[in-house]
Amino acid sequence: MEIKSVGIVGAGQMGNGIAHVMALAGYDVLLNDINQDSLDAAMARIDKNMERQVSRSLISAEDKANGLLRIKTTLALPDLGQTDLVIEAAAEREEIKDKIFDTLLPHLQPHTILTSNTSSISITRLASRTDRPEKFMGFHFMNPVPLMKLVELIRGIATDEETYKACHDIVTRLDKTAASAEDFPAFIVNRILIPMINEACYTLYEGVGNVASIDNAMKLGANHPMGPLELADFIGLDTCLAIMNVLHEGLADTKYRPCPLLTKYVEAGWLGRKTKRGFYDYRGEAPVPTR
């Protein structure tokens, strides 16, 4: 099956990044959000990021112009029903994703493939609520989408081979690499990454080191490009906590217990870069550790 048009639900950091790469690869993109300001901000971000690629000679000015022309926006979720592939990139909460798919179902074409950019939630369970579990799979991009080369492809128990192959072909066309993951909590990347971040939170919580020493230790001692607490702020502490809860509930193993300090930061609304405060305070000229 040939995919020509892609509908994307959610114009946030992941959604606008997916729209960006899909448009540059020649797909017609319809980007949806519940808020017009979010759509306008997404288009401005895509324009800025494409311009950065032009300045680095990664794409031409013509590529940018054509890519932007391929992206349309809509506030009406049912409009996405006419696309060949839908990628849900909304908040990492299962009830929100279920509501999105429930709204979409009556408007879909028979051949439309449904996918979710979820970083941790069961694909089999999400698919079971739809009328096409065989045409449903996980399509997990890494952040920031235009830069990161990996896409996790997660088959639910009912996903058929044609659907998997169609999504794999898209990853290849995007010049990215597919990693096939089984449908277990948090898949591959976050199954390994988020518990590491959670352990860094425990290291801070127990007073083994402060924010700066923990991040510097991992950057200089393990050659990580970002420290784990800096990375947590970039991902969003609410997202990190949500994934740890999925791991804890889904695998019933105490080693996945979310750190109480991570929970406390989320309760305070200190979610990282997007709220200007997390493990670092971003309200000044340079980030300052909060502990």
Side-chain angles (χ1 to χ4, degrees):
M1 179 187 148
E2 185 182 3
I3 305 294
K4 294 181 179 178
S5 57
V6 179
I8 299 169
V9 185
Q13 196 170 31
M14 296 304 297
N16 76 61
I18 297 168
H20 175 143
V21 298
M22 287 288 182
L24 285 181
Y27 295 101
D28 292 324
V29 176
L30 186 57
L31 181 61
N32 162 262
D33 203 279
I34 58 174
N35 186 296
Q36 186 61 49
D37 289 342
S38 296
L39 289 173
D40 293 343
M43 290 306 299
R45 173 61 62 89
I46 293 168
D47 188 309
K48 180 180 178 182
N49 288 342
M50 284 188 182
E51 187 57 39
R52 186 178 291 120
Q53 289 178 302
V54 172
S55 69
R56 295 175 181 172
S57 300
L58 298 174
I59 64 173
S60 68
E62 184 180 8
D63 290 335
K64 175 192 171 184
N66 290 336
L68 290 174
L69 286 174
R70 291 190 191 101
I71 304 173
K72 303 288 187 273
T73 63
T74 180
L75 292 170
L77 184 57
D79 289 350
L80 273 58
Q82 296 308 303
T83 60
D84 301 320
L85 167 72
V86 173
I87 303 174
E88 172 273 315
E92 191 69 354
R93 287 169 53 193
E94 190 165 346
E95 65 272 19
I96 291 176
K97 296 179 187 298
D98 285 340
K99 186 176 180 181
I100 286 167
F101 291 125
D102 288 347
T103 302
L104 273 172
L105 287 178
H107 307 281
L108 297 176
Q109 299 183 89
H111 70 270
T112 300
I113 293 173
L114 288 177
T115 68
S116 176
N117 185 58
T118 179
S119 53
S120 61
I121 297 169
S122 168
I123 298 302
T124 298
R125 196 165 62 240
L126 289 173
S128 70
R129 291 177 53 92
T130 74
D131 63 354
R132 59 195 69 206
E134 72 286 348
K135 291 188 178 299
F136 193 112
M137 69 180 298
F139 209 175
H140 182 215
F141 289 81
M142 304 296 122
N143 185 30
V145 179
L147 298 180
M148 301 296 279
K149 287 292 188 180
L150 184 76
V151 180
E152 283 183 317
L153 295 180
I154 307 101
R155 278 183 269 214
I157 196 169
T159 307
D160 63 27
E161 189 61 29
E162 183 184 22
T163 299
Y164 174 80
K165 186 177 184 305
C167 290
H168 194 284
D169 288 347
I170 291 171
V171 175
T172 301
R173 183 164 158 182
L174 295 175
D175 193 28
K176 296 185 184 295
T177 298
S180 297
E182 294 301 314
D183 186 21
F184 290 99
F187 319 129
I188 296 173
V189 173
N190 285 324
R191 172 75 175 263
I192 297 167
L193 175 65
I194 302 301
M196 183 200 75
I197 288 174
N198 194 54
E199 193 62 29
C201 295
Y202 270 114
T203 305
L204 179 64
Y205 177 59
E206 294 168 5
V208 180
N210 59 29
V211 169
S213 63
I214 291 167
D215 277 351
N216 284 333
M218 294 307 292
K219 284 190 285 187
L220 302 177
N223 206 28
H224 289 194
M226 295 174 73
L229 300 175
E230 181 186 6
L231 181 57
D233 277 357
F234 180 75
I235 294 169
L237 304 194
D238 52 339
T239 299
C240 293
L241 179 60
I243 295 170
M244 283 308 302
N245 281 327
V246 166
L247 282 165
H248 193 222
E249 293 162 12
L251 299 172
D253 191 324
T254 55
K255 73 179 181 180
Y256 296 116
R257 183 170 68 97
C259 177
L261 183 61
L262 175 61
T263 301
K264 192 61 63 180
Y265 268 73
V266 172
E267 288 176 344
W270 291 20
L271 308 182
R273 286 179 179 267
K274 61 188 175 185
T275 59
K276 303 295 185 185
R277 278 194 291 187
F279 290 113
Y280 292 85
D281 189 325
Y282 300 93
R283 293 175 298 173
E285 289 187 10
V288 177
T290 53
R291 280 181 178 255

